[in-house]
Amino acid sequence: MRKAIYVRYPQAVPLKYCIDAENCIYFKKGKCRICEKFCPNKAINFNDQKREFTLKTGAIILALGSEIFDPGTHDTYGYKKSPNVVTSLEFERILSSSGPYSGHIVSSPDKNEPEKIAWLQCIGSRDERPGSKGYCSAVCCTYAVKQAMLAKEHSKKNLDAAIFYIDIRTNGKDFEKYYNRAKDDSGVRFIKSKITNITELDGKHLISYVDEAGKRIEELFDMVVLSVGLGVSKEAVNLARKLDIQLNHYGFAGSGSFEPVAGSRPGIYVCGAFQAPKDIPSSVIDASAAAGLAGSKLADYRWTLTKTKHIPEEIDVRGEPPRIGVFVCRCGSNIASIVDVPSVVEFAQSLPHVVYTEENLFSCSQDTQDKITQIIKDKRLNRVVVAACTPRTHEPLFQETLINAGINKYLFEMANIRNQCSWVHKDDKKRATEKAKSLVKMAVSKVALLDPLKEPSMPINQKVLVIGGGTAGMVAAKNLADQGYWTFLIEKADSLGGQARHLHETWQGEDIQKYLSGLIKEVQSNKNIEIFLNSRIKQVDGFAGNFKTTIENNSKSVVLEHGITIIASGASEFVPDQYLYGKDRRVVTGLELQQRFIDKDPSLTQINTAVFIQCVGSRIPQRPYCSKVCCTQSIKSAVKLKEIKPTMDVFVLYRDMRPYGLREDLYRKARSIGINFIRYDFGKEIAVEPKVETNNGNLQIAFIDCVLKRKMVIQSDLLILASAIVPEKVNRLAQLYKVTQNEDGFFAEAHVKLRPVDFATDGVFVCGLAHAPKSIDESITQAQAAASRAVRLLSAKSISAGGTVACVNPNFCSSCGVCVSICPYSAALFNKKSGKAEIEPTLCKGCGLCTASCRSGAINLKGFDNEQIFAQIFAL
């Protein structure tokens, strides 16, 4: 059977199906047409004369992706000549366990492990030559850092990894820490330079470059990795033109800062790298935002064309002897290259109650999932063990397989033989294999004793609470309200707007104040939004689907009942404690200068010299993160000063300039109009930081020029400090809603790639500056994504709690209260009548703290009781 119909990017495009004409029998021979006959919604129509098909949809989402730059276009580095000059994507395959060398790094043709590898940045990016890309591709610096660190881990030799760069742009959340770890802990060399030539010498590559001091240097490497940029494919451009979607001068889908995922044509949305170069977390956020906007337009028709998935009736296996199936995954060669998988399968056959075993190439693949489902039915299995990778990401997938076979999903156990065997014992195959056998034996011993568990279901309150009345909070509230959900919007200040009240223009020149005033009016006039200003949260009770939040509003206590919570509490600008800030009125922060632009301050025309200092309060031990927006904002402000007074001398003192993505155009414009960018020396010693002092009433900025290696002094009329974005370090919201913050104080998402706007706590989402430093367009996108994720729960009308929860035997309970005090989710409480402890199952997350802390042994964690745990220990 041909597979001619497939879902295109299902996360981003829930309504769109594609037909592959090459595999469609109808297109080739005029037969079949099964899809047209069986489609219950009559969404597919074929035109017999033109051999065309028509799809009827209410919205279209374009997730067309990107293509990498071909370094052979300008073969400066010998890409077409040497097999040891590879692109970053090709090196990614080399690193992969399923790649050509099973994860071993080897050079051609001798297949020896290289001792020195060089990464060259900005290949095809930040390059105005024909065929290249003038923008920054945004992702290359971070993936080069990742590859260099992984290469050093894979290497059996002491690999020398060097990254040759123009500017290191690790400006995503926690990316700066990753960069520092590579530089300080892993020993990756970072060389700011310009490559002049690469010459092949006896299979090696002589890189000639000029370093930051202007010194000419030559260095020999075994392998060269070209960090190639991202671009738009010709196919994507052609499709966009057919759909009448406007593209910018680089071919990306043109979108404004205030509608980031909206295409130029109503009803068509864009996301991912087709909108601009971006990484996986940003693409996932884009996808949710696009789905959310499409959902808001189609809200009146929700469920009208929906089919309910058939779930087989669960077979009651209680009282039956255990019939266990063990499936051991090779994970390509990720596991099989280290662990002797056939011997593990043979060992599993000898274990008690095991009636079926087999090995799979990829247990998580759809065809293997279908196969396992059928085997469970055919062999009448009532327990399943999968020995594969981490249950953190794959356990729900295998549990769904059991459900499809009619087996309770909790009659399943997973042995992590990838992380705990093949990865950590990669140099000792025998030890890795023996450990894998032990883990399988433990899993089999436990699963034999497991009982079916039930997941209680409860209705979801259809109201939403959005915390924070800034741009992100208002956008999220508006999106939810447009979809028909009653939304509470609370703000601690006496007005809406947040930090956007102090922003003049976006990097593209759009008027933020005009947009903000319009957004505030829309929110205030929306009949589904109830606004509470001057409000603070005092208490939170309940759980996902049924929260009760008590707020103090104008000295009155108000209880808000809601099913979902979105935290958009924002962040603030760091108040500098150096550079004479607060002591000299000529020293201002970036936001204060923005406010002067908004107020059209006439005194700005009197300034002859202005200086910007970057990274004030950022990228230091106290705040090691990059605040992301400062570079672009400073460039934009510098350009504005030049527009106000073209003769003004403007200097930007920086460590690394980070106008990522398409913002590179603004950076190029700034340099072309005479703005001076000077890299200052920033070492670990305070002595090399810029110094600001007054001399005879003149404001003087002294610093060490990185190129000249000498002290420079600029006399300025205005000093602008690009201050850090700082969160509330100890945020009470984290305690109230049982969510976590990272070391910097920003809220921590459930998973950086898979769930970038969700918290680990169900029913609570995050967006805007509360999550991490970001620009206004990124805050808007994330707010739309958070609303979309919230609707995913709200539209279901009910929510199921987990089956792995604690329960109390009141006969053993001594009412000591330890469980009540230790539970991080407030699931343990005292029964008012009996005085005994009890567990609210809808709040319990199965962490086991109460079980381990109960001195009376009164608490049992379902799926992890003493008998099951001891069975694992005795098996080991």
Side-chain angles (χ1 to χ4, degrees):
M1 183 173 180
R2 295 173 181 264
K3 293 184 178 180
I5 300 182
Y6 59 95
V7 180
R8 174 77 169 178
Y9 297 96
Q11 268 194 317
V13 196
L15 300 177
K16 183 180 177 184
Y17 282 75
C18 300
I19 296 181
D20 181 358
E22 290 298 318
N23 284 320
C24 180
I25 295 176
Y26 174 80
F27 268 74
K28 289 191 172 183
K29 299 181 180 179
K31 300 178 181 179
C32 185
R33 300 177 65 154
I34 289 177
C35 56
E36 181 181 26
K37 296 174 185 176
F38 282 88
C39 179
N41 303 324
K42 306 301 180 185
I44 301 177
N45 295 308
F46 283 96
N47 185 315
D48 288 307
Q49 295 179 346
K50 296 183 179 180
R51 288 286 177 93
E52 296 175 347
F53 63 88
T54 303
L55 295 176
K56 298 177 181 179
T57 63
I60 296 175
I61 298 175
L62 299 179
L64 305 180
S66 63
E67 66 176 11
I68 64 168
F69 172 75
D70 179 7
T73 303
H74 306 291
D75 200 9
T76 310
Y77 308 110
Y79 173 69
K80 291 184 175 181
K81 302 172 185 175
S82 172
N84 291 323
V85 179
V86 299
T87 67
S88 46
L89 195 60
E90 290 166 346
F91 191 76
E92 197 78 26
R93 292 300 304 147
I94 292 173
L95 286 172
S96 174
S97 60
S98 60
Y101 309 120
S102 301
H104 301 293
I105 305 172
V106 297
S107 58
S108 297
D110 54 17
K111 297 297 185 288
N112 290 328
E113 183 178 314
E115 296 180 1
K116 296 181 69 175
I117 302 178
W119 278 260
L120 310 188
Q121 299 307 104
C122 301
I123 305 301
S125 300
R126 304 181 68 184
D127 187 345
E128 294 186 85
R129 290 181 296 173
S132 296
K133 319 295 182 183
Y135 52 83
C136 165
S137 288
V139 301
C140 317
C141 286
T142 305
Y143 76 54
V145 173
K146 180 204 76 170
Q147 288 183 350
M149 292 178 70
L150 286 177
K152 288 182 75 71
E153 291 175 6
H154 282 231
S155 176
K156 296 179 181 179
K157 302 178 180 178
N158 187 18
L159 178 68
D160 181 358
I163 297 178
F164 293 82
Y165 70 97
I166 302 173
D167 293 289
I168 286 293
R169 294 182 173 176
T170 48
N171 42 19
K173 186 177 183 180
D174 291 330
F175 288 180
E176 185 73 9
K177 291 180 182 177
Y178 200 55
Y179 164 51
N180 290 334
R181 181 176 142 203
K183 180 177 56 176
D184 301 331
D185 300 335
S186 298
V188 177
R189 291 191 291 144
F190 290 85
I191 305 169
K192 187 173 176 66
S193 58
K194 289 184 179 180
I195 307 293
T196 58
N197 189 36
I198 295 182
T199 307
E200 187 173 358
L201 293 175
D202 299 325
K204 297 182 181 293
H205 300 275
L206 183 67
I207 298 180
S208 303
Y209 63 94
V210 179
D211 69 6
E212 191 173 14
K215 185 179 179 182
R216 294 181 179 273
I217 301 174
E218 292 183 340
E219 193 170 352
L220 207 59
F221 289 88
D222 301 304
M223 183 179 285
V224 176
V225 182
L226 306 179
S227 295
V228 290
L230 304 179
V232 181
S233 68
K234 292 180 180 179
E235 293 79 7
V237 171
N238 291 335
L239 178 57
R241 287 172 178 166
K242 289 178 182 178
L243 294 173
D244 196 24
I245 296 295
Q246 292 180 8
L247 304 177
N248 63 24
H249 58 293
Y250 290 124
F252 293 101
S255 59
S257 299
F258 306 135
E259 294 183 311
V261 297
S264 58
R265 184 177 173 184
I268 298 182
Y269 305 93
V270 299
C271 61
F274 178 56
Q275 193 257 354
K278 58 189 63 180
D279 58 15
I280 292 173
S282 298
S283 296
V284 173
I285 291 171
D286 273 8
S288 292
L293 282 182
S296 66
K297 300 300 181 186
L298 305 175
D300 294 340
Y301 305 98
R302 182 173 285 123
W303 301 118
T304 59
L305 299 176
T306 303
K307 291 195 299 180
T308 303
K309 179 182 177 181
H310 172 68
I311 298 177
E313 184 178 353
E314 184 176 304
I315 302 170
D316 187 359
V317 300
R318 290 174 297 178
E320 293 184 4
R323 292 181 58 83
I324 302 172
V326 179
F327 300 87
V328 185
C329 183
R330 298 178 64 87
C331 197
S333 60
N334 205 346
I335 293 173
S337 64
I338 305 298
V339 176
D340 185 352
V341 171
S343 72
V344 175
V345 173
E346 184 181 357
F347 172 77
Q349 291 174 350
S350 66
L351 297 175
H353 308 298
V354 173
V355 298
Y356 183 83
T357 61
E358 75 168 28
E359 63 178 89
N360 308 123
L361 183 62
F362 290 103
S363 297
C364 59
S365 65
Q366 186 59 54
D367 57 338
T368 306
Q369 294 286 299
D370 296 339
K371 180 183 176 183
I372 293 175
T373 299
Q374 193 59 45
I375 289 172
I376 292 173
K377 295 177 180 179
D378 295 342
K379 302 295 182 180
R380 296 185 296 110
L381 304 180
N382 56 25
R383 307 284 194 284
V384 172
V385 170
V386 174
C389 52
T390 171
R392 182 183 179 191
T393 55
H394 284 69
E395 185 178 55
L397 180 69
F398 293 116
Q399 287 181 327
E400 186 178 355
T401 303
L402 266 68
I403 293 173
N404 293 335
I407 303 297
N408 186 280
K409 75 179 200 179
Y410 291 100
L411 300 176
F412 169 79
E413 187 68 17
M414 198 165 177
N416 187 351
I417 64 171
R418 184 192 67 177
N419 301 40
Q420 298 175 5
C421 297
S422 66
W423 280 6
V424 294
H425 303 299
K426 62 182 180 180
D427 296 326
D428 193 338
K429 294 184 179 182
K430 183 179 179 181
R431 189 180 180 192
T433 301
E434 290 305 312
K435 187 175 180 181
K437 292 178 182 179
S438 297
L439 291 177
V440 169
K441 186 178 181 182
M442 292 172 67
V444 168
S445 299
K446 180 185 176 185
V447 80
L449 300 174
L450 290 178
D451 294 316
L453 301 179
K454 297 297 182 183
E455 295 183 337
S457 180
M458 56 186 176
I460 297 177
N461 186 310
Q462 295 293 290
K463 297 179 180 179
V464 182
L465 173 65
V466 178
I467 303 170
T471 302
M474 288 191 290
V475 168
K478 181 179 180 299
N479 186 287
L480 289 161
D482 288 345
Q483 299 190 59
Y485 296 102
W486 186 268
T487 305
F488 302 112
L489 178 61
I490 65 172
E491 167 58 41
K492 64 182 179 182
D494 58 2
S495 61
L496 299 173
Q499 294 297 334
R501 286 190 169 276
H502 309 294
L503 296 175
H504 179 231
E505 292 180 346
T506 69
W507 71 272
Q508 299 182 82
E510 299 134 317
D511 189 333
I512 293 177
Q513 294 307 303
K514 181 179 178 181
Y515 164 76
L516 187 63
S517 62
L519 178 62
I520 291 173
K521 289 178 182 177
E522 288 180 341
V523 169
Q524 290 175 334
S525 62
N526 195 303
K527 62 180 181 180
N528 287 335
I529 299 177
E530 186 175 358
I531 302 171
F532 295 88
L533 301 177
N534 298 309
S535 300
R536 292 187 178 274
I537 296 176
K538 293 298 181 183
Q539 183 178 337
V540 177
D541 298 305
F543 39 84
N546 292 276
F547 287 108
K548 287 186 179 180
T549 299
T550 303
I551 66 170
E552 186 179 282
N553 174 245
N554 294 319
S555 301
K556 295 181 181 179
S557 182
V558 180
V559 178
L560 306 177
E561 296 185 4
H562 54 100
I564 299 294
T565 305
I566 295 179
I567 296 177
S569 52
S572 57
E573 184 183 47
F574 171 66
V575 179
D577 54 1
Q578 56 186 147
Y579 303 133
L580 298 183
Y581 179 78
K583 300 177 182 178
D584 192 308
R585 61 180 180 82
R586 293 169 293 185
V587 182
V588 299
T589 65
L591 279 187
E592 289 170 348
L593 177 61
Q594 291 276 304
Q595 188 63 53
R596 291 172 73 172
F597 290 150
I598 295 170
D599 298 337
K600 298 181 180 179
D601 186 351
S603 66
L604 293 176
T605 60
Q606 307 303 313
I607 295 171
N608 294 316
T609 304
V611 176
F612 292 80
I613 298 180
Q614 299 304 108
C615 300
V616 176
S618 293
R619 303 178 67 192
I620 59 176
Q622 300 93 312
R623 281 173 294 278
Y625 56 89
C626 168
S627 289
K628 192 175 185 178
V629 301
C630 318
C631 285
T632 304
Q633 187 184 84
S634 290
I635 296 170
K636 179 63 179 174
S637 296
V639 170
K640 184 66 178 178
L641 288 174
K642 271 287 194 180
E643 292 173 352
I644 292 172
K645 188 176 182 179
T647 59
M648 187 186 303
D649 291 322
V650 182
F651 299 87
V652 179
L653 308 183
Y654 71 96
R655 293 170 61 184
D656 288 288
M657 285 308 299
R658 295 181 168 181
Y660 56 96
L662 306 183
R663 292 159 174 80
E664 184 73 18
D665 283 354
L666 181 64
Y667 184 29
R668 189 178 296 109
K669 176 185 176 181
R671 298 198 306 272
S672 69
I673 62 175
I675 295 172
N676 302 286
F677 292 86
I678 305 174
R679 190 166 190 250
Y680 69 86
D681 192 356
F682 185 91
K684 295 183 179 180
E685 299 297 328
I686 195 71
V688 299
E689 280 194 53
K691 287 187 177 181
V692 180
E693 56 188 9
T694 55
N695 187 3
N696 295 326
N698 296 318
L699 190 64
Q700 293 186 342
I701 299 96
F703 59 95
I704 303 296
D705 186 299
C706 275
V707 176
L708 301 178
K709 298 297 182 184
R710 57 178 290 185
K711 181 178 179 181
M712 308 288 287
V713 178
I714 300 175
Q715 189 167 295
S716 181
D717 303 313
L718 180 66
L719 175 61
I720 304 99
L721 306 180
S723 292
I725 294 175
V726 292
E728 192 174 337
K729 196 71 174 178
V730 181
N731 198 314
R732 192 162 180 265
L733 294 175
Q735 301 168 356
L736 291 171
Y737 287 100
K738 312 301 179 186
V739 296
T740 56
Q741 295 172 273
N742 67 10
E743 295 176 354
D744 302 319
F746 294 102
F747 285 109
E749 63 276 13
H751 191 286
V752 65
K753 293 180 180 178
L754 304 181
R755 299 171 65 194
V757 298
D758 300 44
F759 281 111
T761 301
D762 293 336
V764 189
F765 304 90
V766 64
C767 60
L769 293 178
H771 169 259
K774 52 179 59 71
S775 59
I776 190 168
D777 56 315
E778 292 167 337
S779 290
I780 291 171
T781 302
Q782 195 176 28
Q784 293 167 340
S788 176
R789 296 290 290 171
V791 170
R792 185 182 63 88
L793 290 178
L794 291 167
S795 61
K797 301 294 178 69
S798 64
I799 187 173
S800 297
T804 305
V805 296
C807 58
V808 180
N809 185 339
N811 296 325
F812 294 159
C813 178
S814 63
S815 303
C816 67
V818 172
C819 59
V820 176
S821 63
I822 203 172
C823 179
Y825 303 102
S826 302
L829 61 154
F830 283 116
N831 185 297
K832 293 181 180 179
K833 292 184 179 180
S834 67
K836 303 291 186 178
E838 59 183 29
I839 304 296
E840 171 55 60
T842 53
L843 281 177
C844 181
K845 296 298 177 185
C847 69
L849 274 176
C850 60
T851 307
S853 304
C854 182
R855 300 162 186 171
S856 307
I859 303 179
N860 173 52
L861 182 60
K862 295 179 181 179
F864 292 89
D865 65 24
N866 288 347
E867 187 180 6
Q868 293 157 359
I869 297 298
F870 281 125
Q872 287 184 290
I873 295 172
F874 296 148
L876 182 63

